[in-house]
């Protein structure tokens, strides 16, 4: 498995990018900047909650698409359609799961 295909690396990059956009928002929205300067603890709370929300949404989208594809293949195999194969092209954890599922499906077909 190559390191640049890992979901964790993509999330770290996304965190840095989100942090950059939050800093830009602080600079351009002066009422928000004045409010944060007045209430010192409000800045980190807004920053952390926004970042957590964005990371959660993106992470769930990254997980949902490959799992939905694998679920479709599993439902087809459950209906005894062994011609359907899961996408093994990804070099991350989902590609590994798909490869093992295809191997299991081939063994069931021969059984």
């Amino acid at each position: 498995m190559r390191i640049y295909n890992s979901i964790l690396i993509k999330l770290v990059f996304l965190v840095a990018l989100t942090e950059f956009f939050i800093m830009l928002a602080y600079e351009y929205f002066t009422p928000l900047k004045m409010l944060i300067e007045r209430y010192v603890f409000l800045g980190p709370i807004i920053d952390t909650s926004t970042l957590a929300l964005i990371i959660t949404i993106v992470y769930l989208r990254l997980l949902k698409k490959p799992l939905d594809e694998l679920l479709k293949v599993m439902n087809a195999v459950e209906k005894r359609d062994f011609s359907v194969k899961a996408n093994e092209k990804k070099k991350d954890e989902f590609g590994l799961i798909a490869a093992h599922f295809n191997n299991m499906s081939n063994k069931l077909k021969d059984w």
Side-chain angles (χ1 to χ4, degrees):
M1 176 181 356
R2 295 186 179 152
I3 192 163
Y4 60 85
N5 285 331
S6 177
I7 292 174
L8 183 63
I9 299 298
K10 293 174 186 174
L11 282 177
V12 169
F13 175 73
L14 206 70
V15 167
L17 194 64
T18 305
E19 205 46 47
F20 174 73
F21 284 121
I22 289 173
M23 287 185 342
L24 280 178
Y26 286 161
E27 290 297 319
Y28 288 108
F29 297 114
T30 52
L32 181 63
K33 186 177 180 181
M34 288 172 34
L35 185 67
I36 291 171
E37 287 173 357
R38 189 169 185 185
Y39 302 103
V40 178
F41 293 112
L42 192 60
I45 291 172
I46 291 173
D47 191 24
T48 305
S49 60
T50 305
L51 189 61
L53 181 68
I54 291 172
I55 288 173
T56 302
I57 290 170
V58 171
Y59 190 70
L60 288 177
R61 285 189 179 194
L62 284 174
L63 287 177
K64 187 172 177 0
K65 185 180 176 187
L67 287 177
D68 284 344
E69 292 173 2
L70 191 59
L71 188 61
K72 287 179 186 177
V73 173
M74 286 179 175
N75 286 334
V77 169
E78 183 182 15
K79 295 175 184 173
R80 307 252 186 230
D81 181 13
F82 295 107
S83 63
V84 180
K85 299 293 177 199
N87 186 8
E88 297 180 31
K89 293 179 184 174
K90 294 185 176 187
K91 300 295 181 193
D92 58 0
E93 294 86 359
F94 292 112
L96 185 65
I97 291 172
H100 285 288
F101 182 80
N102 287 339
N103 188 19
M104 181 188 68
S105 175
N106 288 334
K107 288 181 180 179
L108 284 174
K109 182 171 74 173
D110 294 339
W111 188 55

